[in-house]
Protein backbone atom coordinates (compact mmCIF):
# COMPACT_ATOMS: atom_id res chain seq x y z
CA UNK A 1 0.00 0.00 0.00
CA UNK A 2 2.88 2.33 0.85
CA UNK A 3 4.38 1.84 -2.63
CA UNK A 4 1.05 2.49 -4.36
CA UNK A 5 0.50 5.65 -2.33
CA UNK A 6 4.03 6.86 -3.06
CA UNK A 7 3.57 6.20 -6.79
CA UNK A 8 0.21 8.00 -6.88
CA UNK A 9 1.51 10.92 -4.82
CA UNK A 10 4.59 11.25 -7.05
CA UNK A 11 2.44 11.18 -10.20
CA UNK A 12 0.22 13.99 -8.88
CA UNK A 13 3.24 16.14 -8.01
CA UNK A 14 4.87 15.49 -11.39
CA UNK A 15 1.62 16.19 -13.24
CA UNK A 16 1.05 19.52 -11.49
CA UNK A 17 4.61 20.66 -12.18
CA UNK A 18 4.43 19.58 -15.83
CA UNK A 19 1.11 21.37 -16.22
CA UNK A 20 2.64 24.50 -14.74
CA UNK A 21 5.46 24.36 -17.26
CA UNK A 22 3.45 23.49 -20.39
CA UNK A 23 -0.15 24.71 -19.99
CA UNK A 24 0.58 27.80 -22.09
CA UNK A 25 1.63 25.62 -25.06
CA UNK A 26 -1.89 24.32 -25.71
CA UNK A 27 -2.45 24.08 -29.46
CA UNK A 28 1.13 25.03 -30.37
CA UNK A 29 1.92 21.56 -31.68
CA UNK A 30 -0.29 21.66 -34.77
CA UNK A 31 2.58 22.36 -37.15
CA UNK A 32 4.45 20.82 -40.13
CA UNK A 33 4.21 17.02 -40.34
CA UNK A 34 1.60 16.83 -37.58
CA UNK A 35 -0.87 18.57 -39.85
CA UNK A 36 -0.04 16.09 -42.60
CA UNK A 37 -0.78 13.12 -40.38
CA UNK A 38 -4.01 14.68 -39.11
CA UNK A 39 -5.18 15.14 -42.70
CA UNK A 40 -4.38 11.46 -43.36
CA UNK A 41 -6.25 10.38 -40.21
CA UNK A 42 -9.27 12.41 -41.23
CA UNK A 43 -9.27 11.15 -44.83
CA UNK A 44 -8.46 7.44 -44.27
CA UNK A 45 -10.17 6.76 -40.96
CA UNK A 46 -9.86 3.63 -38.80
CA UNK A 47 -8.79 1.36 -41.66
CA UNK A 48 -5.49 3.25 -41.85
CA UNK A 49 -4.35 1.62 -38.63
CA UNK A 50 -3.77 -1.66 -40.51
CA UNK A 51 -1.03 -0.16 -42.71
CA UNK A 52 0.13 2.59 -40.32
CA UNK A 53 -1.56 5.18 -42.56
CA UNK A 54 0.96 4.53 -45.32
CA UNK A 55 3.96 5.16 -43.05
CA UNK A 56 6.90 3.23 -44.55
CA UNK A 57 8.30 2.75 -41.06
CA UNK A 58 6.50 0.24 -38.85
CA UNK A 59 5.14 2.93 -36.52
CA UNK A 60 1.91 1.15 -35.70
CA UNK A 61 2.05 2.05 -32.02
CA UNK A 62 2.62 5.68 -32.88
CA UNK A 63 -0.34 5.92 -35.21
CA UNK A 64 -2.71 3.98 -32.98
CA UNK A 65 -2.11 6.46 -30.16
CA UNK A 66 -2.02 9.57 -32.36
CA UNK A 67 -5.10 8.57 -34.37
CA UNK A 68 -7.06 7.77 -31.20
CA UNK A 69 -6.11 11.18 -29.78
CA UNK A 70 -7.26 12.79 -33.03
CA UNK A 71 -10.62 10.99 -32.92
CA UNK A 72 -11.27 12.14 -29.35
CA UNK A 73 -9.71 15.62 -29.40
CA UNK A 74 -9.64 16.81 -33.03
CA UNK A 75 -8.08 20.30 -32.93
CA UNK A 76 -8.75 21.00 -29.26
CA UNK A 77 -5.30 22.18 -28.20
CA UNK A 78 -6.11 22.12 -24.49
CA UNK A 79 -6.92 18.40 -24.59
CA UNK A 80 -3.79 17.61 -26.56
CA UNK A 81 -1.71 19.55 -24.04
CA UNK A 82 -3.31 17.66 -21.14
CA UNK A 83 -2.57 14.34 -22.87
CA UNK A 84 1.09 15.25 -23.30
CA UNK A 85 1.36 16.49 -19.70
CA UNK A 86 -0.16 13.22 -18.49
CA UNK A 87 2.23 11.13 -20.59
CA UNK A 88 5.21 13.13 -19.36
CA UNK A 89 4.11 12.75 -15.76
CA UNK A 90 3.64 9.00 -16.29
CA UNK A 91 7.12 8.68 -17.77
CA UNK A 92 8.59 10.59 -14.85
CA UNK A 93 6.73 8.43 -12.35
CA UNK A 94 7.87 5.18 -13.96
CA UNK A 95 11.43 6.47 -14.20
CA UNK A 96 11.25 7.22 -10.47
CA UNK A 97 10.10 3.65 -9.77
CA UNK A 98 12.78 2.19 -12.06
CA UNK A 99 15.66 4.05 -10.47
CA UNK A 100 14.35 3.61 -6.93
CA UNK A 101 14.21 -0.15 -7.48
CA UNK A 102 17.59 -0.19 -9.21
CA UNK A 103 19.28 1.84 -6.47
CA UNK A 104 17.69 -0.33 -3.79
CA UNK A 105 18.94 -3.53 -5.46
CA UNK A 106 22.38 -1.93 -5.76
CA UNK A 107 22.39 -1.09 -2.05
CA UNK A 108 22.49 2.68 -2.53
CA UNK A 109 21.47 4.64 0.56
CA UNK A 110 18.37 6.84 0.40
CA UNK A 111 17.43 5.27 -2.92
CA UNK A 112 13.95 6.81 -2.88
CA UNK A 113 15.22 10.36 -2.34
CA UNK A 114 17.93 10.10 -5.00
CA UNK A 115 15.53 8.59 -7.53
CA UNK A 116 12.90 11.25 -6.87
CA UNK A 117 15.33 14.14 -7.33
CA UNK A 118 16.73 12.62 -10.53
CA UNK A 119 13.26 12.04 -11.95
CA UNK A 120 12.21 15.58 -11.06
CA UNK A 121 15.19 16.95 -12.97
CA UNK A 122 14.12 14.81 -15.95
CA UNK A 123 10.62 16.28 -15.63
CA UNK A 124 11.74 19.91 -15.86
CA UNK A 125 14.64 19.42 -18.26
CA UNK A 126 14.48 21.82 -21.24
CA UNK A 127 15.42 18.87 -23.46
CA UNK A 128 11.83 17.67 -23.00
CA UNK A 129 10.37 20.77 -24.62
CA UNK A 130 10.30 19.61 -28.25
CA UNK A 131 8.48 16.28 -27.66
CA UNK A 132 6.14 18.02 -25.21
CA UNK A 133 5.15 20.89 -27.49
CA UNK A 134 5.27 19.34 -30.99
CA UNK A 135 2.35 16.90 -31.26
CA UNK A 136 4.03 14.88 -34.01
CA UNK A 137 6.51 13.75 -31.32
CA UNK A 138 3.96 11.81 -29.30
CA UNK A 139 5.75 8.56 -30.22
CA UNK A 140 8.78 9.69 -28.19
CA UNK A 141 6.62 9.88 -25.08
CA UNK A 142 4.85 6.59 -25.79
CA UNK A 143 8.05 4.69 -26.64
CA UNK A 144 9.79 6.06 -23.53
CA UNK A 145 6.87 4.90 -21.41
CA UNK A 146 7.00 1.40 -22.89
CA UNK A 147 10.78 1.05 -22.50
CA UNK A 148 10.66 2.30 -18.92
CA UNK A 149 7.92 -0.22 -18.19
CA UNK A 150 10.04 -2.94 -19.78
CA UNK A 151 12.97 -2.00 -17.54
CA UNK A 152 10.66 -1.87 -14.53
CA UNK A 153 9.64 -5.48 -15.15
CA UNK A 154 13.29 -6.52 -15.48
CA UNK A 155 13.91 -5.09 -12.01
CA UNK A 156 10.80 -6.79 -10.65
CA UNK A 157 12.15 -10.06 -12.02
CA UNK A 158 15.47 -9.48 -10.29
CA UNK A 159 13.61 -8.99 -7.03
CA UNK A 160 11.22 -11.90 -7.58
CA UNK A 161 12.00 -14.14 -10.61
CA UNK A 162 8.50 -14.92 -11.92
CA UNK A 163 7.68 -15.73 -15.55
CA UNK A 164 4.94 -13.10 -15.71
CA UNK A 165 7.58 -10.37 -15.52
CA UNK A 166 9.35 -11.83 -18.56
CA UNK A 167 6.08 -11.88 -20.50
CA UNK A 168 5.29 -8.28 -19.54
CA UNK A 169 8.82 -7.23 -20.45
CA UNK A 170 8.51 -8.60 -23.99
CA UNK A 171 5.02 -7.19 -24.42
CA UNK A 172 6.36 -3.71 -23.64
CA UNK A 173 9.51 -4.13 -25.72
CA UNK A 174 7.70 -5.40 -28.82
CA UNK A 175 5.15 -2.59 -28.54
CA UNK A 176 8.05 -0.12 -28.30
CA UNK A 177 9.67 -1.63 -31.43
CA UNK A 178 6.54 -0.81 -33.40
CA UNK A 179 6.40 2.71 -32.00
CA UNK A 180 9.84 4.23 -32.55
CA UNK A 181 13.32 3.11 -33.62
CA UNK A 182 15.02 4.34 -30.43
CA UNK A 183 13.87 1.00 -28.99
CA UNK A 184 16.63 -0.68 -31.05
CA UNK A 185 19.17 0.51 -28.47
CA UNK A 186 17.38 -1.08 -25.53
CA UNK A 187 18.96 -4.57 -25.80
CA UNK A 188 22.38 -2.86 -25.79
CA UNK A 189 21.46 -0.99 -22.60
CA UNK A 190 20.38 -4.25 -20.97
CA UNK A 191 23.54 -6.02 -22.11
CA UNK A 192 25.73 -3.35 -20.54
CA UNK A 193 23.63 -3.34 -17.37
CA UNK A 194 23.86 -7.11 -16.90
CA UNK A 195 27.51 -7.29 -17.92
CA UNK A 196 28.68 -4.64 -15.48
CA UNK A 197 26.12 -4.86 -12.67
CA UNK A 198 24.07 -8.04 -13.09
CA UNK A 199 25.80 -10.10 -10.40
CA UNK A 200 25.53 -7.22 -7.92
CA UNK A 201 21.78 -6.84 -8.35
CA UNK A 202 20.84 -10.43 -7.53
CA UNK A 203 23.39 -12.92 -6.24
CA UNK A 204 21.12 -15.87 -7.09
CA UNK A 205 20.71 -15.03 -10.79
CA UNK A 206 23.86 -14.89 -12.90
CA UNK A 207 24.50 -12.20 -15.48
CA UNK A 208 24.69 -14.92 -18.14
CA UNK A 209 21.20 -16.12 -17.23
CA UNK A 210 19.83 -12.60 -17.44
CA UNK A 211 21.43 -12.09 -20.85
CA UNK A 212 19.89 -15.34 -22.10
CA UNK A 213 16.44 -14.37 -20.80
CA UNK A 214 16.23 -10.71 -21.76
CA UNK A 215 19.02 -9.70 -24.13
CA UNK A 216 19.52 -12.44 -26.71
CA UNK A 217 15.79 -12.86 -27.58
CA UNK A 218 15.46 -9.06 -27.74
CA UNK A 219 18.35 -8.87 -30.21
CA UNK A 220 16.79 -11.72 -32.21
CA UNK A 221 13.63 -9.65 -32.66
CA UNK A 222 15.53 -6.89 -34.48
CA UNK A 223 16.27 -8.78 -37.74
CA UNK A 224 12.65 -9.93 -37.76
CA UNK A 225 11.60 -6.30 -37.52
CA UNK A 226 13.95 -5.33 -40.36
CA UNK A 227 12.56 -8.09 -42.57
CA UNK A 228 9.02 -6.94 -41.88
CA UNK A 229 10.07 -3.39 -42.69
CA UNK A 230 11.63 -4.47 -46.00
CA UNK A 231 8.41 -6.10 -47.17
CA UNK A 232 6.10 -3.41 -45.78
Amino acid sequence: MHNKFLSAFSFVIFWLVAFGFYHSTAGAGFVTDELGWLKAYNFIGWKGIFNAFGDKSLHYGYHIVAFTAWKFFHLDGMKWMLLFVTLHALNTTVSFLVFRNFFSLAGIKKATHVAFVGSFLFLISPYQTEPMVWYACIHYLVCTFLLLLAMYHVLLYLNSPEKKFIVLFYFCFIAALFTLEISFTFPVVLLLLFFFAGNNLNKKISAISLIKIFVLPAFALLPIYFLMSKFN
Side-chain angles (χ1 to χ4, degrees), residues 51-213:
N51 72 336
F53 291 91
D55 193 342
K56 294 302 180 182
S57 300
L58 302 179
H59 292 161
Y60 288 95
Y62 169 28
H63 292 295
I64 289 172
V65 174
F67 175 75
T68 302
W70 161 249
K71 292 299 289 185
F72 279 100
F73 305 151
H74 292 281
L75 295 177
D76 190 328
M78 179 61 67
K79 291 178 180 178
W80 280 87
M81 180 274 297
L82 291 174
L83 172 63
F84 275 61
V85 165
T86 301
L87 287 171
H88 192 36
L90 278 174
N91 285 340
T92 308
T93 302
V94 181
S95 73
F96 165 58
L97 296 176
V98 164
F99 283 101
R100 185 190 62 166
N101 288 3
F102 175 74
F103 293 154
S104 296
L105 288 169
I108 295 176
K109 296 180 179 179
K110 296 186 177 181
T112 299
H113 298 83
V114 175
F116 185 88
V117 172
S119 298
F120 188 82
L121 292 175
F122 166 80
L123 178 78
I124 64 174
S125 169
Y127 288 106
Q128 310 304 323
T129 302
E130 182 177 347
M132 283 296 295
V133 176
W134 188 5
Y135 299 152
C137 292
I138 194 170
H139 49 341
Y140 286 93
L141 298 175
V142 174
C143 190
T144 299
F145 177 68
L146 291 167
L147 293 178
L148 284 170
L149 271 184
M151 181 64 79
Y152 179 64
H153 287 106
V154 169
L155 296 173
L156 289 178
Y157 180 85
L158 286 168
N159 189 58
S160 177
E162 301 178 36
K163 290 183 178 180
K164 66 179 180 180
F165 297 134
I166 300 174
V167 173
L168 290 169
F169 164 82
Y170 279 105
F171 175 83
C172 294
F173 177 63
I174 292 171
L177 276 180
F178 288 95
T179 301
L180 189 61
E181 290 85 352
I182 59 172
S183 55
F184 297 169
T185 64
F186 193 57
V188 179
V189 173
L190 288 178
L191 179 62
L192 294 174
L193 172 66
F194 296 148
F195 184 78
F196 288 106
N199 293 328
N200 296 324
L201 298 176
N202 189 317
K203 300 296 185 182
K204 297 181 179 180
I205 308 175
S206 70
I208 298 299
S209 295
L210 292 171
I211 290 171
K212 288 180 179 179
I213 294 170

